[in-house]
Amino acid sequence: MRKIVLCFGFAFTLISCGSALQPVNESNVPPTPPAVPKTPKPDPKVDQVTMVLPDIKKMTSVQKTVEFLASDELQGRDTGSLGIEIAAQFIETRFKNVGVQPYFETYRNNFDAKGKPAFNIVGKVEGNDPKLKNEIIIIGAHYDHIGKGRPVGDDTIANGANDNAAGTTAVLALADYFAKAKSNKRTIIFTLYSAEEKGLLGSKHLAKSFKKKNITPYVMFNIEMIGVPMVGKDHLVYISGYDLSNMPAKFNEYAGEKVIGFLPKAKEFNLFRRSDNYPFYQEFGIPAHTISSFDFTNFDHYHGVGDEADKMDFSFMETVIQKIIPGLERMANTPSQEIKMNEIKN
């Protein structure tokens, strides 16, 4: 178990995946969206705490980021916990240091998570083209996890390194890149969701927040569980909802190689509906997909206490991040919107 020493002092109010995987029949008809929950008032009983983060400038590597987010001190990043507050402050500091601006008045997008105050972290790198900057690309991942898992010996912390410190780390790395490169004509919004593990609550809330503001994104690109390589594949990651849009083909064209492929298990288990891409498809009908390298054979610690940083293949993660940058960069710069939903044949 990786430990990182943290120091605490009094200052800020602590504000405060998905279900088990079962195979289901593929369907492209979205269910009726649930009612928008009301944002709860702050709980006066919650301890007021903040933390003195480690030197963030020394914690930007893929390995150090995963090790921090998946450390025992964060206690599995359960929604509403001190651990997820620490993770949020880390993400906010990373955004601020590199020049990623808050999308809203602050980085936090507050919502109710089944009675617990929760928040997404949302930043932006504005596009540099006067017209195309109004066409938004969303890059996201969930940063929460389940907190505790079934004990193994005296270990009860479900650290969530692969699920989904890995995806969160990739989003932070991509935010670092685009904030420094300033190469994107379209605006890119970087989104880290809470309460994914409680039913995609964070991404549902953010999608509805955009809907209320009459914001229709161009595409949504979600990253989930990319900590270990797939077995025997000719591509680095697969994409959920592979046949629903032309994103896989266009992305590989943009990248100049086969980065994204198809995984039959993803369709069998309908992963398209089981991650934070789905609420954006529900609300807007746009190309909204999740990439992952979890292929059901290469990782035995899903929602378990063994999902720790020392199980991650950091070299592989770095390769994935580097290989997806050209695809995303081209996506952010094409003169017209080339990525489109496919026609559904009955």
Side-chain angles (χ1 to χ4, degrees):
M1 291 177 282
R2 176 79 177 183
K3 289 186 176 291
I4 296 178
V5 177
L6 307 177
C7 301
F8 297 89
F10 293 95
F12 297 100
T13 301
L14 167 65
I15 300 178
S16 57
C17 131
S19 57
L21 295 174
Q22 299 291 335
V24 293
N25 293 325
E26 181 78 32
S27 173
N28 296 326
V29 181
T32 302
V36 180
K38 296 180 179 179
T39 301
K41 296 180 180 179
D43 185 351
K45 297 180 181 179
V46 175
D47 292 338
Q48 292 188 328
V49 297
T50 190
M51 65 169 294
V52 179
L53 291 167
D55 186 348
I56 298 294
K57 293 180 180 179
K58 297 180 180 179
M59 308 251 330
T60 59
S61 73
V62 167
Q63 180 170 344
K64 288 186 180 297
T65 302
V66 173
E67 288 177 345
F68 180 81
L69 293 171
S71 62
D72 284 355
E73 283 75 12
L74 270 62
Q75 293 289 303
R77 306 186 309 280
D78 195 9
T79 298
S81 69
L82 173 59
I84 201 165
E85 169 67 23
I86 296 170
Q89 291 188 29
F90 177 83
I91 293 166
E92 289 171 315
T93 305
R94 283 281 299 268
F95 277 176
K96 183 178 180 179
N97 282 356
V98 78
V100 175
Q101 300 299 311
Y103 184 75
F104 300 104
E105 291 184 6
T106 72
Y107 289 113
R108 300 198 181 195
N109 170 241
N110 299 310
F111 64 97
D112 173 66
K114 299 183 178 179
K116 292 183 178 182
F119 39 86
N120 303 312
I121 308 297
V122 187
K124 69 175 180 180
V125 174
E126 188 170 352
N128 58 34
D129 183 277
K131 294 182 179 179
L132 293 180
K133 71 178 183 179
N134 296 317
E135 300 177 8
I136 291 172
I137 292 173
I138 300 173
I139 299 175
H142 74 91
Y143 74 106
D144 68 307
H145 196 49
I146 63 172
K148 302 292 184 181
R150 181 179 296 178
V152 175
D154 61 355
D155 188 3
T156 62
I157 300 171
N159 300 77
N162 199 22
D163 185 13
N164 189 31
T168 300
T169 297
V171 171
L172 290 174
L174 293 167
D176 288 349
Y177 173 82
F178 283 103
K180 293 173 183 175
K182 295 180 171 56
S183 60
N184 51 299
K185 293 182 179 180
R186 294 185 172 88
T187 295
I188 302 177
I189 298 180
F190 297 95
T191 55
L192 286 309
Y193 308 108
S194 187
E196 187 269 358
E197 301 287 4
K198 299 185 184 302
L200 312 182
L201 299 184
S203 51
K204 287 177 181 178
H205 177 77
L206 186 60
K208 291 180 183 299
S209 297
F210 286 162
K211 190 85 167 184
K212 286 181 179 179
K213 291 179 175 291
N214 294 317
I215 296 169
T216 300
Y218 168 31
V219 295
M220 194 279 175
F221 188 88
N222 194 55
I223 306 174
E224 177 92 33
M225 297 180 70
I226 59 163
V228 292
M230 292 187 290
V231 178
K233 301 295 190 295
D234 64 351
H235 49 273
L236 286 175
V237 294
Y238 63 88
I239 196 167
S240 66
Y242 181 89
D243 56 354
L244 299 183
S245 84
N246 68 347
M247 185 186 287
K250 295 302 293 185
F251 194 96
N252 289 339
E253 175 188 324
Y254 294 163
E257 59 184 306
K258 190 174 182 181
V259 177
I260 291 174
F262 173 67
L263 184 75
K265 282 284 186 181
K267 187 169 185 177
E268 177 186 347
F269 285 81
N270 204 350
L271 298 189
F272 178 71
R273 290 174 177 261
R274 296 179 183 269
S275 197
D276 291 308
N277 60 286
Y278 188 58
F280 294 92
Y281 170 78
Q282 282 186 297
E283 291 294 338
F284 303 108
I286 61 171
H289 303 268
T290 294
I291 64 164
S292 179
S293 63
F294 170 65
D295 67 7
F296 296 82
T297 69
N298 60 350
F299 193 70
D300 297 328
H301 305 285
Y302 175 72
H303 282 189
V305 300
D307 186 2
E308 302 208 41
D310 61 6
K311 306 290 196 310
M312 301 297 96
D313 186 329
F314 297 116
S315 177
F316 170 75
M317 287 183 60
E318 290 168 357
T319 297
V320 170
I321 293 165
Q322 289 301 315
K323 294 290 187 180
I324 64 178
I325 284 174
L328 292 171
E329 196 158 39
R330 180 79 180 277
M331 191 187 300
N333 286 288
T334 55
S336 62
Q337 295 186 1
E338 298 181 347
I339 298 175
K340 304 178 185 297
M341 297 298 295
N342 290 331
E343 292 185 10
I344 300 172
K345 297 180 181 180
N346 296 325

